[in-house]
Amino acid sequence: MKNFSLWCDYIEKDFIEQQFSALIEQKNIKGATSNPTIFHNAFKQDSYKKSIAALTGMAHKDIYEELAISDIKNAAKLLYPLFSKNTQDGWVSIEIDPFLCDDIAKSIAEGKRLFEKIAAPNVMIKVPATQNGYVIMEELFAANIPVNATLIFTPNQVAKILEAFKRAWERSSQTPKLQAVLSIFVSRFDRMCDHALPDEYKNKIGIMNATILYHQIQLHNLSYVRPLFASTGVKSTHIPKDYYICSLLYPNSINTAPLDAINAFECKDGDCIIPSSQEAQQFLRDIEKYICLETVYQELFEQGITAFKDSFEKLLQF
């Protein structure tokens, strides 16, 4: 698929040191993403015990940053050869403290500080798509810091983010190294809504909604912005592990997936049936008789913010 990139939605010390290079060399992945939940689960592993013990006495957030920044630096170094050949590849991202999402000034300061401390050109700073987040994204991007806009569910979010990036682009140095992605969440729709839908509509809402947002982004034809499909792990035993990759195999897109989905991914050009924008629009109209999409959008967004905050709070309990 032209300009399609598969990224790994997983970061962990031993994995980076042992398996990550192999995945890159086999051309299976071209980038990586992280979030508070990923780090929370990673820090439970034995591979971090010595590092955490060595940092005893530091503030808990400082311990988190030392560990997370080390992992992100190592991943960025391994991905850099891809980035050096094509600045749309080879990215890894780290999220600002989700508890700062309501404080614009502190979020901007943290984003700049993390980017400077990691000191790698192929790192993106993740910012949740809240009302304040649009301002934060714009200021970071205008300061020539690559941005991963995350927790995206709605066309309204996409519109506001694209406008923020357009304004920031005009203020920035406008180099090829300045890239942004919009992380569109997918599978959470199905997990929330499938119980209320007839069988013919199950496991499809996330894909259809993501299709609408993908085409919305493509219409703007911004060379420095790409859609990224996130939350693409499969929880059901009734669908293939790579279902949310194969069903969204669009040109000029990224899919960040968990390891089991990446390992299962076999779909090739022509093998996959992906919906058109018109099909997706009709599908979303049809399901309105069963669910209220606006309510689903709001609930998913609130759950996402809460989950990131909960995971961040837990990962600080060293």
Side-chain angles (χ1 to χ4, degrees), residues 187-230:
S187 66
R188 297 187 187 195
F189 281 90
D190 300 329
R191 293 201 292 273
M192 174 178 284
C193 301
D194 274 2
H195 74 281
L197 298 174
D199 287 347
E200 63 265 32
Y201 295 115
K202 294 184 187 298
N203 298 315
K204 293 180 180 177
I205 299 181
I207 290 166
M208 297 302 184
N209 186 72
T211 294
I212 296 293
L213 303 191
Y214 165 82
H215 286 286
Q216 180 183 358
I217 295 167
Q218 293 302 98
L219 283 174
H220 289 260
N221 195 30
L222 303 177
S223 62
Y224 51 91
V225 173
R226 282 191 299 168
L228 180 152
F229 302 118

Side-chain angles (χ1 to χ4, degrees), residues 33-282:
T33 49
S34 70
N35 61 46
T37 302
I38 287 173
F39 279 124
H40 171 232
N41 292 329
F43 292 168
K44 298 176 184 177
Q45 306 303 311
D46 290 342
S47 55
Y48 291 91
K49 284 185 177 179
K50 288 184 179 179
S51 298
I52 292 172
L55 298 171
T56 300
M58 293 175 59
H60 288 188
K61 185 173 177 179
D62 291 338
I63 295 175
Y64 152 72
E65 285 195 6
E66 288 293 322
L67 300 175
I69 286 173
S70 176
D71 287 347
I72 295 296
K73 277 187 173 182
N74 289 337
K77 183 177 179 180
L78 292 172
L79 287 164
Y80 185 78
L82 293 176
F83 176 79
S84 65
K85 293 177 183 177
N86 179 356
T87 53
Q88 288 194 329
D89 292 333
W91 291 98
V92 61
S93 59
I94 184 170
E95 190 162 340
I96 59 175
D97 180 343
F99 284 100
L100 299 180
C101 66
D102 294 324
D103 192 314
I104 292 173
K106 287 184 178 179
S107 291
I108 293 169
E110 173 147 316
K112 290 180 177 179
R113 181 175 57 79
L114 287 173
F115 187 71
E116 291 171 3
K117 194 169 183 179
I118 295 168
N122 54 326
V123 169
M124 288 182 169
I125 302 299
K126 288 181 78 172
V127 181
T130 64
Q131 197 63 41
N132 287 335
Y134 307 135
V135 180
I136 297 162
M137 294 171 198
E138 178 177 346
E139 292 307 310
L140 291 177
F141 203 60
N144 300 307
I145 296 175
V147 172
N148 179 338
T150 190
L151 214 63
I152 297 170
F153 299 97
T154 74
N156 184 52
Q157 286 177 298
V158 169
K160 290 181 177 180
I161 293 166
L162 291 178
E163 288 305 314
F165 283 147
K166 286 178 186 177
R167 290 191 298 267
W169 181 254
E170 293 303 316
R171 298 165 54 194
S172 72
S173 62
Q174 302 183 4
T175 68
K177 291 182 179 180
L178 187 58
Q179 296 282 315
V181 297
L182 279 74
S183 291
I184 300 163
F185 280 46
V186 183
S187 66
R188 297 187 187 195
F189 281 90
D190 300 329
R191 293 201 292 273
M192 174 178 284
C193 301
D194 274 2
H195 74 281
L197 298 174
D199 287 347
E200 63 265 32
Y201 295 115
K202 294 184 187 298
N203 298 315
K204 293 180 180 177
I205 299 181
I207 290 166
M208 297 302 184
N209 186 72
T211 294
I212 296 293
L213 303 191
Y214 165 82
H215 286 286
Q216 180 183 358
I217 295 167
Q218 293 302 98
L219 283 174
H220 289 260
N221 195 30
L222 303 177
S223 62
Y224 51 91
V225 173
R226 282 191 299 168
L228 180 152
F229 302 118
S231 182
T232 54
V234 170
K235 304 299 183 185
S236 171
T237 58
H238 303 296
I239 55 178
K241 291 292 185 184
D242 60 352
Y243 175 72
Y244 291 107
I245 304 176
C246 294
S247 301
L248 292 166
L249 204 62
Y250 287 106
N252 195 42
S253 74
I254 304 160
N255 197 306
T256 186
L259 287 176
D260 59 353
I262 291 170
N263 292 331
F265 179 53
E266 295 180 351
C267 192
K268 306 299 181 185
D269 244 358
D271 293 342
C272 302
I273 300 174
I274 53 179
S276 68
S277 177
Q278 292 76 17
E279 290 170 331
Q281 289 170 359
Q282 185 60 54

